[in-house]
Amino acid sequence: MDSITTLIIKHRHCFNKEKSYTMKKITQITYALSPALLVALTAQAKESKEQKGKNTNKPNVILIYADDLGYGDLECYGAKNIQTPNVNKLAKNGIRFTNAHATASTSTPSRYSLLTGEYAWRRKDTDVAPGNAGMIIRPEQFTMADMFKSAGYTTCAIGKWHLGLGDKTGQQDWNAPLPSALGDIGFDYHYIMAATADRVPCVFIENGKVANYDENAPIEVNYYRNFEGEPTGKDNPELLYNQKSSHGHDMSIVNGIGRIGYMKGGGNALWKDENIADSITTHAIKFISENREKPFFMYFATNDVHVPRFPHERFRGKNKMGVRGDAIAQFDWSVGEIVKALEKYHLLDNTLIVISSDNGPVVDDGYQDRAEELLNGHSPAGPFRGNKYSSFEGGTAVPVIVSWKNKVAKNQESDVLLSQVDWLASFAHLVGARLPKGSAFDSENHLSNLLGEKTNAREWVLEQSNTRVLSVRTQKWKYIEPSDGPKMIQWGPKIETGNNAQPQLFDMQASNFEEKNVAKDHPQVVYDMQNILRRERSKK
Ligand code: NG6
Ligand code: CA
């Protein structure tokens, strides 16, 4: 082999390894090579870069996780009164699932299960978290982000977090770096809202620090007591110039909207609700652009369509449903922008995109936004009974769309039983990652189902209501364990809880599903379901 060929081979090798090392080497040898050879080398570099981008063993994974978006809230799931062209397009290019489930009917437990592969009810402290909760997923726990990182991915979380930050609840100093944040659980980059838009602190956290921190307005947060001299929604309703509360949300006022919890300061760092979608989408696109040459995982958790619904002006008034519809349109826009960025960088056929939601829909969730009055025949939970918080299917049935250009067949619909708790193990299979023993305890690999095959599906999935009542769902049945609690949510939203002192069994394949309790007609099925719950509860 002559020396020049050796040189080329060597450099081919290092193009496939370290880019910066390669670039340094190129500069060093530029002087020694003929122009023709340089052209050949540059072409080689370009080719391997493209190949890297198209390495299907390590596709990028983008998980777009909406908040409170119901099974029936997207046009491609039959939504009335609202257009979602960008989501429709992804559904047309991929698979639309009709029997997919979040593990819980509220945010914190649902996200906990998704990101750890473990049911949230196995732990005490995983219910809807305040904005000053300590980090619920502990650094020693293995997460979806850790898994991707172990397979060589660059990882990020952008948008709604709602799983706590810092070491201890109520002990955070928001004016200094947080001692524990998402960097400790596998995310290379994060730009997040600590909890929800209706909970303080109303600032973004970027890599463990308040983004755009304003030194002149130190931040204090308290969930029990107000700070002296600070107005509240309760005492100063005249200051709620952007949106008034319908129930709760009467503590601190930020941007003319009442919140849960008290905060002081923030100044220029305070978010404007109308810009949240723009802000997180911009950060997501920046992340894609900066990481386009190596595999990445992005957890993109939108604030839409959670309350307070206060979308940007440009989405206002274009549908009959008021701000709840506008927030759905804004969500669809965010999806479209992300797809556009992938197209721009030629990453579409090397990126698996999954769209879903953390729990079922809610209409009035505490603000006078007229969402209830303006439904105009739209059914946010589609055909299902109950909404967010509920044990009925409307609480946990969620839209799921999977799209991967040229890899999953187009325009499919699948009724295979899916649970978000399995996504950690399924993605691990996709990227060839190993899970440490004992991690992702409840997560099973069902990648083939996610990619369109119907065989080897789960036999049952478990779901939890906001009061931790458990249900078992199979392809045919829905079993809700007996519980005493009230039939309706007590604090504002007009939602059936699903509580019943008797066991409830519904035939989900009958035309009147979730109307007729057939537990008495099928004692064996009830027994089997109870056994599943008993067994699962006794594990771990
Ligand atoms: C409830 C809030 C509701 C919403 C929910 C959590 C009140 C009266 N209601 O307590 O507005 O924030 O918690 O929603 O405070 S979730 O989607 O993040 O789980
Ligand atoms: Ca939610």
Side-chain angles (χ1 to χ4, degrees):
M1 208 185 283
D2 64 57
S3 60
I4 293 207
T5 317
T6 320
L7 196 62
I8 291 174
I9 288 173
K10 247 202 209 145
H11 281 275
R12 272 187 192 157
H13 180 65
C14 65
F15 275 125
N16 291 334
K17 283 174 92 192
E18 268 292 320
K19 201 176 128 223
S20 58
Y21 170 70
T22 307
M23 295 319 289
K24 232 188 271 161
K25 276 282 165 199
I26 279 197
T27 332
Q28 280 169 12
I29 59 169
T30 302
Y31 303 103
L33 296 177
S34 72
L37 197 57
L38 255 185
V39 170
L41 266 180
T42 316
Q44 175 65 41
K46 202 169 157 238
E47 192 190 323
S48 36
K49 216 158 95 183
E50 275 166 12
Q51 266 162 9
K52 208 170 191 176
K54 296 209 163 81
N55 178 357
T56 47
N57 293 329
K58 298 247 188 274
N60 308 310
V61 176
I62 300 184
L63 183 49
I64 302 178
Y65 209 47
D67 197 354
D68 296 359
L69 184 78
Y71 181 86
D73 275 331
L74 296 167
E75 202 179 5
C76 52
Y77 278 84
K80 276 200 186 140
N81 313 327
I82 182 81
Q83 281 80 49
T84 52
N86 293 302
V87 177
N88 296 352
K89 205 167 146 194
L90 284 180
K92 260 206 125 120
N93 285 322
I95 318 167
R96 194 177 66 88
F97 290 90
T98 58
N99 198 1
H101 304 264
T103 63
S105 59
T106 53
S107 157
T108 303
S110 203
R111 289 162 200 261
Y112 175 86
S113 299
L114 172 83
L115 293 176
T116 64
E118 178 185 290
Y119 288 123
W121 49 261
R122 295 198 187 281
R123 265 178 66 168
K124 286 204 294 283
D125 51 354
T126 53
D127 296 319
V128 174
N132 65 348
M135 202 157 75
I136 294 171
I137 305 175
R138 298 313 305 168
E140 61 273 19
Q141 239 177 312
F142 195 74
T143 67
M144 188 179 279
D146 286 319
M147 179 278 290
F148 276 111
K149 218 169 141 61
S150 76
Y153 280 62
T154 305
T155 58
C156 77
I158 294 175
K160 174 179 175 176
W161 181 236
H162 211 188
L163 285 163
L165 286 168
D167 286 337
K168 282 214 178 79
T169 299
Q171 304 290 302
Q172 301 88 345
D173 176 358
W174 300 95
N175 306 292
L178 292 158
S180 49
L182 281 66
D184 300 308
I185 52 172
F187 289 100
D188 293 310
Y189 174 73
H190 63 271
Y191 181 78
I192 52 165
M193 308 160 72
T196 56
D198 58 349
R199 284 174 174 74
V200 303
C202 299
V203 291
F204 286 101
I205 310 291
E206 187 169 30
N207 291 343
K209 285 190 279 193
V210 170
N212 201 22
Y213 182 71
D214 187 342
E215 300 218 327
N216 298 317
I219 298 171
E220 288 182 73
V221 172
N222 193 308
Y223 267 71
Y224 299 111
R225 273 180 310 281
N226 192 20
F227 299 95
E228 220 186 304
E230 294 293 313
T232 62
K234 188 159 174 259
D235 297 333
N236 308 85
E238 73 285 358
L239 298 180
L240 301 173
Y241 55 85
N242 270 332
Q243 211 166 67
K244 298 206 181 329
S245 316
S246 60
H247 54 264
H249 305 105
D250 59 358
M251 300 177 208
S252 282
I253 301 172
V254 177
N255 195 26
I257 299 176
R259 317 279 166 166
I260 308 171
Y262 302 102
M263 85 174 280
K264 195 179 166 179
N268 293 332
L270 293 172
W271 67 53
K272 291 230 176 290
D273 301 72
E274 55 272 47
N275 295 333
I276 290 174
D278 279 310
S279 181
I280 61 173
T281 306
T282 306
H283 283 79
I285 291 169
K286 187 162 177 269
F287 178 85
I288 293 172
S289 152
E290 286 172 359
N291 292 283
R292 61 184 187 268
E293 278 161 26
K294 42 195 180 181
F296 64 81
F297 163 61
M298 181 161 82
Y299 172 65
F300 181 70
T302 66
N303 168 51
D304 296 316
V305 298
H306 197 278
V307 296
R309 303 173 187 119
F310 203 70
H312 193 269
E313 232 176 60
R314 66 189 192 278
F315 300 104
R316 300 273 182 130
K318 300 204 173 110
N319 72 85
K320 292 200 259 181
M321 295 199 294
V323 284
R324 188 167 188 281
D326 300 339
I328 297 174
Q330 184 169 263
F331 170 75
D332 184 72
W333 169 82
S334 295
V335 171
E337 291 304 295
I338 286 174
V339 172
K340 254 195 237 163
L342 295 172
E343 266 163 0
K344 179 173 166 195
Y345 300 122
H346 310 289
L347 293 175
L348 255 193
D349 59 356
N350 189 39
T351 304
L352 172 69
I353 307 170
V354 179
I355 297 182
S356 194
S357 177
D358 66 339
N359 51 253
V362 53
V363 188
D364 177 355
D365 208 13
Y367 291 95
Q368 297 178 31
D369 60 8
R370 303 193 66 225
E372 194 96 47
E373 298 91 308
L374 296 174
L375 279 174
N376 278 307
H378 170 71
S379 172
F384 299 114
R385 184 171 174 181
N387 277 349
K388 176 177 176 177
Y389 308 116
S390 178
S391 279
F392 290 124
E393 278 294 89
T396 43
V398 285
V400 171
I401 291 163
V402 169
S403 159
W404 185 2
K405 198 179 164 195
N406 300 327
K407 299 293 183 310
V408 303
K410 288 187 174 184
N411 221 353
Q412 294 182 72
E413 186 184 300
S414 173
D415 67 351
V416 76
L417 193 60
L418 276 192
S419 170
Q420 292 176 356
V421 80
D422 290 334
W423 292 359
L424 198 165
S426 304
F427 292 152
H429 195 76
L430 174 76
V431 306
R434 292 177 75 104
L435 304 179
K437 210 168 169 191
S439 65
F441 188 75
D442 297 298
S443 195
E444 295 174 8
N445 166 27
H446 287 281
L447 179 68
S448 60
N449 298 145
L450 259 183
L451 299 183
E453 278 172 35
K454 291 202 177 177
T455 49
N456 302 322
R458 256 189 177 272
E459 282 178 14
W460 45 263
V461 305
L462 301 187
E463 304 159 331
Q464 82 178 73
S465 77
N466 73 317
T467 52
R468 297 182 165 229
V469 173
L470 295 190
S471 302
V472 184
R473 176 78 157 90
T474 68
Q475 195 71 24
K476 181 171 171 65
W477 303 107
K478 162 104 184 185
Y479 168 77
I480 306 176
E481 67 179 351
S483 91
D484 294 327
K487 293 265 189 285
M488 298 296 292
I489 296 284
Q490 298 294 293
W491 70 82
K494 295 183 208 78
I495 296 175
E496 289 185 289
T497 57
N499 291 334
N500 194 316
Q502 301 301 316
Q504 297 175 85
L505 183 73
F506 299 105
D507 181 349
M508 300 305 290
Q509 290 169 344
S511 57
N512 60 350
F513 63 86
E514 280 191 298
E515 268 171 38
K516 191 161 176 248
N517 182 1
V518 296
K520 291 214 167 81
D521 307 330
H522 300 277
Q524 183 62 42
V525 179
V526 171
Y527 180 77
D528 292 345
M529 300 282 183
Q530 286 172 337
N531 252 340
I532 292 173
L533 286 183
R534 235 190 323 267
R535 225 177 32 237
E536 285 304 311
R537 277 201 168 103
S538 68
K539 279 187 188 167
K540 234 196 158 192

